[in-house]
Amino acid sequence: MTSHNGLDNLDFKTFRTLLEALLPAGSLCALSDAAGQIHHADEGFEHGIVGKVLGKLASEPPANLRGLPRIVRVRIPPKSWLAAPLRTEDRHTLGYLWACVPAAEDSKALSRRLMAMASVITQTARLSVRLTDITTELAERCEELNLVLHTEDQVSAFAEGQQALDELVQNCREYLGVRFAALLIRDKGILIAHDRNGTDATTMPAHQRDALRTTVYDLVATAHDAVVINDPEDPVLAEICLRRACRLLATPILAGKDEIVGVLVIINDADRAPFSDNDKNLLRVMAQKAVKIVQVGYDSQTGLVNREAFEFLVGQRLVEAQQDGAEHSILYLDIDQLQLVNE
């Protein structure tokens, strides 16, 4: 969520028109934050008075400040400077509405008008902040919805499944705006990874692959739930993040309710927002999609690749042998009465 106070987004001209009707002729106005930074000011308004008044207030003991009136007034005839605090419901001061008026026309009624306008500005600023937060949140939710909708999990062939898994990992990285995403199914020898620099599982450093297969996988298996590490100083992150400051979120890929068959991991730079519960829940949804894709190529009873997947993999190995001169071996086992095992 945004941390700004909303003053920058205000159209002060609208309020200035109202102030012109409420204040004596020739009055000058300004709007500052609580630290004294001026966001809007009429031409001719003496900026230095803002720093002097707020500096004086900052030097006062807290006990004295509690006794201050609702409006700060400095009279240096022939002028009076009034500062109406922009206070929220929890008494937090966002800033001040300033008015320089003729001292002869300074009055309690004038103070009440300025305080009323300060209250309106405060509410408008808070509404601006809230609207900005809602807009940001809606944009994030739309990206998450796009991630889910644009990731296909209805596949009928093993080859389609391999492509779908690769797209799932790539979508996680792109739609979530993270630096790195990976899917690991250790027992099946599946590791798919993508980072924003174009590195994939075949080109990533060996010690990073090992950290995924051991440290991260074992953490998730032990927790039997998603693991979030938002502390960049956590030693677990040293190898997996290639010694860069980062954050990590990893969730299990479950076959059924209890069996962990893999992990889905995303990593982002430490200067980005910490991973949230929304991120965790979204990654769980993607892990459910992943297990549906994986199941297409494997026998549900033995966990071994099915015939279609086997033929696809053999075909790949033959191509590798022809292109790279690689050597492979096939072990053929003839098991009598296999139906007894199946049944």
Side-chain angles (χ1 to χ4, degrees), residues 235-308:
V236 169
L237 301 176
E239 292 298 324
I240 188 64
C241 295
L242 302 180
R243 306 202 177 276
R244 293 174 58 178
C246 70
R247 308 180 194 277
L248 177 143
L249 169 58
T251 195
I253 299 173
L254 298 171
K257 292 184 178 180
D258 300 317
E259 183 188 358
I260 296 178
V261 297
V263 293
L264 185 58
V265 183
I266 55 175
I267 294 173
N268 215 0
D269 296 322
D271 59 357
R272 302 295 296 274
F275 289 121
S276 64
D277 286 341
N278 282 334
D279 297 321
K280 187 175 5 177
N281 293 333
L282 181 61
L283 209 62
R284 284 179 177 143
V285 173
M286 301 309 294
Q288 292 170 5
K289 284 179 169 285
V291 77
K292 288 176 65 176
I293 297 170
V294 170
Q295 287 172 344
V296 171
Y298 294 86
D299 180 74
S300 60
Q301 292 183 325
T302 65
L304 300 173
V305 292
N306 57 28
R307 177 171 179 173
E308 179 193 0

Side-chain angles (χ1 to χ4, degrees), residues 23-339:
L23 301 178
S27 298
L28 299 176
C29 297
L31 186 68
S32 79
D33 61 20
Q37 179 181 352
I38 294 179
H39 291 254
H40 308 278
D42 289 343
E43 184 178 354
F45 184 88
E46 297 180 30
H47 290 208
I49 195 69
V50 173
K52 290 179 182 179
V53 172
L54 295 185
K56 176 65 175 175
L57 292 178
S59 66
E60 292 287 340
N64 292 355
L65 293 178
R66 284 193 291 269
L68 285 175
R70 297 176 64 196
I71 197 163
V72 179
R73 177 180 278 103
V74 178
R75 285 181 175 171
I76 306 177
K79 299 177 182 179
S80 284
W81 281 269
L82 288 74
L86 310 176
R87 289 203 179 104
T88 61
E89 294 83 354
D90 59 1
R91 307 298 293 172
H92 174 66
T93 301
L94 296 179
Y96 293 88
L97 173 62
W98 300 81
C100 176
V101 302
E105 299 188 56
D106 187 3
S107 65
K108 290 183 178 180
L110 188 63
S111 297
R112 286 195 294 269
R113 294 174 200 157
L114 200 64
M115 286 298 299
M117 183 58 66
S119 177
V120 172
I121 291 175
T122 301
Q123 295 302 317
T124 305
R126 297 304 293 163
L127 180 60
S128 173
V129 171
R130 183 58 185 147
L131 288 175
T132 299
D133 287 345
I134 290 174
T135 300
T136 301
E137 187 171 348
L138 284 174
E140 292 174 354
R141 298 293 86 79
C142 284
E143 283 299 297
E144 293 170 0
L145 184 60
N146 284 333
L147 169 60
V148 174
L149 293 178
H150 293 168
T151 301
E152 182 61 61
D153 61 3
Q154 301 296 322
V155 296
S156 58
F158 183 78
E160 291 178 19
Q162 299 305 290
Q163 180 65 29
L165 285 176
D166 189 79
E167 290 178 356
L168 183 147
V169 175
Q170 189 72 278
N171 286 347
C172 283
R173 195 202 68 72
E174 292 178 355
Y175 283 101
L176 295 179
V178 296
R179 178 162 61 85
F180 175 87
L183 180 147
L184 171 65
I185 302 179
R186 191 164 60 183
D187 293 344
K188 301 188 187 310
I190 297 175
L191 174 59
I192 301 171
H194 290 285
D195 74 7
R196 66 165 64 112
N197 297 323
T199 301
D200 58 22
T202 62
T203 57
M204 65 191 296
H207 60 274
Q208 189 180 32
R209 285 199 303 270
D210 292 341
L212 278 173
R213 289 173 173 147
T214 56
T215 306
V216 176
Y217 196 102
D218 293 342
L219 273 176
V220 174
T222 300
H224 211 82
D225 196 1
V227 172
V228 181
I229 304 178
N230 277 321
D231 180 7
E233 302 298 324
D234 193 304
V236 169
L237 301 176
E239 292 298 324
I240 188 64
C241 295
L242 302 180
R243 306 202 177 276
R244 293 174 58 178
C246 70
R247 308 180 194 277
L248 177 143
L249 169 58
T251 195
I253 299 173
L254 298 171
K257 292 184 178 180
D258 300 317
E259 183 188 358
I260 296 178
V261 297
V263 293
L264 185 58
V265 183
I266 55 175
I267 294 173
N268 215 0
D269 296 322
D271 59 357
R272 302 295 296 274
F275 289 121
S276 64
D277 286 341
N278 282 334
D279 297 321
K280 187 175 5 177
N281 293 333
L282 181 61
L283 209 62
R284 284 179 177 143
V285 173
M286 301 309 294
Q288 292 170 5
K289 284 179 169 285
V291 77
K292 288 176 65 176
I293 297 170
V294 170
Q295 287 172 344
V296 171
Y298 294 86
D299 180 74
S300 60
Q301 292 183 325
T302 65
L304 300 173
V305 292
N306 57 28
R307 177 171 179 173
E308 179 193 0
F310 177 77
E311 291 176 348
F312 175 81
L313 293 172
V314 168
Q316 281 190 325
R317 299 301 175 264
L318 288 173
V319 171
E320 291 174 5
Q322 293 170 349
Q323 293 179 344
D324 306 327
E327 295 183 359
H328 301 282
S329 299
I330 295 179
L331 179 63
Y332 178 78
L333 299 176
D334 186 4
I335 303 176
D336 293 332
Q337 297 182 337
L338 181 62
Q339 68 272 14

